[in-house]
Amino acid sequence: MQGIGHVKVHQYRRVLGRVRTVSVTREGRRWYVILFCDDVPAEPLPPAGGVVGVDVAIASFLTTSAGEHEPNPTCLDRSAGRLAAAQRDLSRAKRGSARRGKTAARVGMISRGVACQG
């Protein structure tokens, strides 16, 4: 990388196609390299042979045409308490202090965790 030199990258997926653009972003203390590719070969899935209808609603996450209900995800419910406590700590910290910086980093870490939950 220009101005930095060689950088180690943890590659978890093969790069398919031709790399067009490389983007380097930072979220909190972590750095991410994003590759945008052209000419990626399409890999179609084999036909499943069945047809199903899906209804996405408010009361339940989804309902299939066979009558099966999938409940709403509760990812945020599990983390909401920790996130709320961290945000309260952040609001009480004095601006410009080292404690506020650490608390802001903790709020960011929890928020990123919530965003990545599936």
Side-chain angles (χ1 to χ4, degrees), residues 34-57:
I34 302 165
L35 304 175
F36 297 95
C37 299
D38 273 352
D39 304 326
V40 178
E43 298 177 9
L45 296 172
V51 178
V52 66
V54 177
D55 178 34
V56 181

Side-chain angles (χ1 to χ4, degrees), residues 9-100:
V9 174
H10 173 72
Q11 182 178 348
Y12 67 94
R13 189 183 300 175
R14 297 188 296 132
V15 177
L16 301 174
R18 186 171 56 95
V19 177
R20 287 284 275 194
T21 309
V22 178
S23 176
V24 179
T25 61
R26 181 178 176 187
E27 291 183 10
R29 292 184 170 186
R30 294 180 185 241
W31 289 86
Y32 296 93
V33 176
I34 302 165
L35 304 175
F36 297 95
C37 299
D38 273 352
D39 304 326
V40 178
E43 298 177 9
L45 296 172
V51 178
V52 66
V54 177
D55 178 34
V56 181
I58 303 288
S60 64
F61 181 64
L62 64 91
T63 304
T64 64
S65 57
E68 300 171 6
H69 296 283
E70 183 69 30
N72 285 323
T74 58
C75 303
L76 182 59
D77 295 343
R78 292 191 295 255
S79 302
R82 287 179 47 227
L83 183 58
Q87 287 173 336
R88 280 193 303 270
D89 291 344
L90 180 62
S91 69
R92 286 192 297 262
K94 185 176 179 181
R95 288 182 185 250
S97 67
R99 178 173 160 257
R100 184 178 174 93

Side-chain angles (χ1 to χ4, degrees), residues 1-7 22-24 33:
M1 298 197 64
Q2 184 177 359
I4 299 172
H6 293 283
V7 178
V22 178
S23 176
V24 179
V33 176

